[in-house]
Amino acid sequence: LAKTTQPISMDSYEGQEVNITCSHNNIATNDYITWYQQFPSQGPRFIIQGYKTKVTNEVASLFIPADRKSSTLSLPRVSLSDTAVYYCLVGPALSGGYNKLIFGAGTRLAVHP
Amino acid sequence: NAGVTQTPKFQVLKTGQSMTLQCAQDMNHNSMYWYRQDPGMGLRLIYYSASEGTTDKGEVPNGYNVSRLNKREFSLRLESAAPSQTSVYFCASSMYNVGDPNEKLFFGSGTQLSVL
């Protein structure tokens, strides 16, 4: 199983850029990296997905170094509404059935006024 | 589009009672999943279904059964509820096949279940 390690919690202030790093040292060649966001009392919501280098969409950017052993989710100019739990998922391995569908504890981001 | 709809939103059971959590998606997705989330923890996969008529165990299947009734619906049944099954249950679906590199999950809003 490709396991991930993320900080348990982070604090930021409105207007700042927030970077959340996920470590996945045993990522397999065919694994993709996917990030989800979860607000209280809601199901997780897909944010961004990438394989290598940089991916950007209207919500966030995802930076993946050449060795792919880590990835960084970047949220530009956060607001109070970005307060949520962020999950990093890695997978699937070729031999895996549901490896990619395993969520860790995530990173709890608190944005302050 | 409603997306993924779960019913009920809240449920209280006594130990030993049975119940079925319903899930339906209107996105014509092939894959569907059931997760549970306990306080302060991530989601744990209970069962999944790669296509109509097929189901497979996930990380924590004990105490649960599932039925993929058709392409739209995937139900989760607790035959004899236990306090350890108190949790928030999420259903999800994906247009891609289970394990596909591009897989993206769409979640319902959850069912909060308490077993006394």
Side-chain angles (χ1 to χ4, degrees):
Chain A
L1 284 177
K3 294 184 178 180
T4 61
T5 303
Q6 309 174 229
I8 295 175
S9 63
M10 295 181 67
D11 289 273
S12 183
Y13 293 90
E14 286 188 291
Q16 289 187 334
E17 179 184 71
V18 171
N19 295 310
I20 305 175
T21 297
C22 179
S23 174
H24 28 80
N25 291 322
N26 58 341
I27 188 170
T29 302
N30 291 328
D31 284 348
Y32 274 64
I33 300 156
T34 310
W35 286 81
Y36 288 83
Q37 175 191 55
Q38 185 179 24
F39 298 114
S41 302
Q42 295 186 25
R45 179 176 74 105
F46 170 86
I47 300 177
I48 197 166
Q49 184 182 72
Y51 183 78
K52 61 180 179 180
T53 63
K54 177 184 175 181
V55 179
T56 297
N57 61 23
E58 65 278 5
V59 177
S61 295
L62 179 60
F63 298 92
I64 306 169
D67 66 7
R68 303 199 331 119
K69 293 185 182 299
S70 66
S71 60
T72 299
L73 174 73
S74 181
L75 305 173
R77 298 179 298 282
V78 294
S79 64
L80 295 177
S81 63
D82 292 313
T83 294
V85 178
Y86 293 82
Y87 297 97
C88 166
L89 280 74
V90 173
L94 272 178
S95 61
Y98 54 85
N99 291 352
K100 187 173 186 177
L101 310 177
I102 306 297
F103 287 73
T107 298
R108 190 172 299 274
L109 173 65
V111 180
H112 306 282
Chain B
N1 282 345
V4 179
T5 303
Q6 292 183 234
T7 56
K9 292 189 181 302
F10 301 95
Q11 184 70 49
V12 178
L13 293 177
K14 294 181 179 179
T15 298
Q17 287 185 316
S18 63
M19 79 159 295
T20 300
L21 279 63
Q22 306 287 351
C23 175
Q25 52 91 8
D26 61 3
M27 296 174 283
N28 200 35
H29 285 175
N30 291 320
S31 306
M32 297 187 73
Y33 312 87
W34 276 104
Y35 287 87
R36 62 175 288 174
Q37 185 172 35
D38 299 308
M41 298 181 65
L43 286 82
R44 291 184 291 172
L45 182 65
I46 305 172
Y47 270 93
Y48 65 100
S49 170
S51 63
E52 181 180 352
T54 67
T55 61
D56 287 283
K57 296 178 180 179
E59 187 183 6
V60 288
N62 292 342
Y64 305 96
N65 287 303
V66 291
S67 295
R68 185 72 182 271
L69 305 171
N70 47 56
K71 192 170 186 179
R72 291 187 63 250
E73 299 173 289
F74 188 38
S75 62
L76 178 72
R77 183 162 178 83
L78 287 72
E79 291 291 352
S80 179
S84 62
Q85 294 179 304
T86 294
S87 188
V88 180
Y89 291 85
F90 289 101
C91 177
S93 69
S94 171
M95 69 177 75
Y96 299 104
N97 295 323
V98 172
D100 189 292
N102 294 323
E103 189 167 37
K104 302 175 182 63
L105 301 178
F106 292 81
F107 284 84
S109 58
T111 295
Q112 190 166 330
L113 176 67
S114 294
V115 183
L116 306 178

